[in-house]
Amino acid sequence: KAGVTQTPRYLIKTRGQQVTLSCSPISGHRSVSWYQQTPGQGLQFLFEYFSETQRNKGNFPGRFSGRQFSNSRSEMNVSTLELGDSALYLCASRLAGGVQETQYFGPGTRLLVL
Amino acid sequence: GNSVTQMEGPVTLSEEAFLTINCTYTATGYPSLFWYVQYPGEGLQLLLKATKADDKGSNKGFEATYRKETTSFHLEKGSVQVSDSAVYFCALSEWVTGGGNKLTFGTGTQLKVEL
């Protein structure tokens, strides 16, 4: 079974631009979560989608948004980029979103904002 | 809110040494506990997990026991190898008010194993 895939793997943007990141979950998985990883803040939860609905959201400004499609693929969007948005963005999928289920992570998209 | 505290790194060991990485947590309910490992330039891989008190998770020689009385989930390995060099993250998963759940991570512990 193919793992979680994320595209693109690397991105360079300038302040004020917007960016869209894509995540394809493991086949059959309906829950997709997004995390931001930075050296200063560590791993922080952005949001979770299940069956095209956002189930919960972390403590991030409204510039961070996401969506999930009927095939469970997910995208996240960051508008009006700031230097502090430079990070590794990780997507994780799991079967049904249960608290005991393992989240399987993709390789991440590394975003650099100049 | 929920939180996870890990021992500070980096930890440097000689090959075949014993490894312990301490992890304690704070949670209001009954979380599931996980250890993930991250190799350079990669995402996170599940190392092991435990879903209830006194459960022991194990994989590739690594072990951790879910201790509710001490709110701990310490990672151990009897004999580390150079290939174990990576960053290790302790995490908990618990239901969130309003629906859904999320992983809350510790800060990560970098392990370097030398010959």
Side-chain angles (χ1 to χ4, degrees):
Chain A
K1 219 179 220 187
V4 178
T5 58
Q6 292 186 246
T7 56
R9 291 293 309 277
Y10 304 93
L11 265 180
I12 300 176
K13 292 286 188 178
T14 56
R15 276 183 303 173
Q17 287 187 310
Q18 75 163 17
V19 67
T20 299
L21 312 182
S22 181
C23 171
S24 292
I26 291 171
S27 177
H29 285 193
R30 296 166 63 195
S31 168
V32 173
S33 298
W34 289 88
Y35 295 84
Q36 181 196 64
Q37 185 177 24
T38 60
Q41 299 298 316
L43 281 153
Q44 293 188 287
F45 171 76
L46 280 157
F47 26 66
E48 180 200 3
Y49 286 88
F50 180 77
S51 292
E52 302 178 66
T53 301
Q54 185 181 89
R55 289 213 293 194
N56 65 92
K57 186 174 173 17
N59 189 24
F60 279 82
R63 301 184 295 106
F64 291 81
S65 63
R67 59 178 175 167
Q68 187 180 34
F69 302 95
S70 58
N71 62 358
S72 294
R73 190 177 69 84
S74 177
E75 290 181 346
M76 68 163 281
N77 184 277
V78 188
S79 62
T80 320
L81 284 165
E82 299 177 0
L83 295 179
D85 297 333
S86 295
L88 180 67
Y89 290 89
L90 293 164
C91 164
S93 78
R94 52 190 159 157
L95 194 62
V99 72
Q100 296 181 351
E101 292 179 49
T102 299
Q103 293 197 33
Y104 295 90
F105 283 81
T109 294
R110 188 165 295 280
L111 172 65
L112 176 61
V113 181
L114 301 175
Chain B
N2 299 337
S3 66
V4 176
T5 303
Q6 276 182 250
M7 63 186 285
E8 292 283 329
V11 173
T12 302
L13 296 173
S14 298
E15 201 171 44
E16 299 184 4
F18 184 85
L19 168 72
T20 299
I21 301 178
N22 290 337
C23 171
T24 57
Y25 67 90
T26 302
T28 53
Y30 302 93
S32 293
L33 301 174
F34 302 81
W35 276 100
Y36 280 89
V37 59
Q38 186 175 36
Y39 297 98
E42 297 184 12
L44 302 177
Q45 297 177 27
L46 177 72
L47 185 57
L48 54 84
K49 72 177 187 181
T51 59
K52 61 182 188 297
D54 300 325
D55 267 2
K56 177 187 280 189
S58 61
N59 185 29
K60 299 180 183 179
F62 291 90
E63 292 183 342
T65 301
Y66 188 163
R67 301 283 189 204
K68 195 165 177 6
E69 64 276 13
T70 54
T71 61
S72 65
F73 193 53
H74 306 320
L75 182 68
E76 296 182 335
K77 186 176 186 184
S79 176
V80 294
Q81 306 300 313
V82 171
S83 57
D84 294 328
S85 299
V87 180
Y88 292 80
F89 291 93
C90 184
L92 67 82
S93 175
E94 194 172 32
W95 293 110
V96 175
T97 302
N101 58 81
K102 65 175 184 179
L103 285 170
T104 299
F105 288 92
T107 52
T109 302
Q110 183 171 9
L111 170 66
K112 182 178 179 183
V113 181
E114 300 174 331
L115 289 171

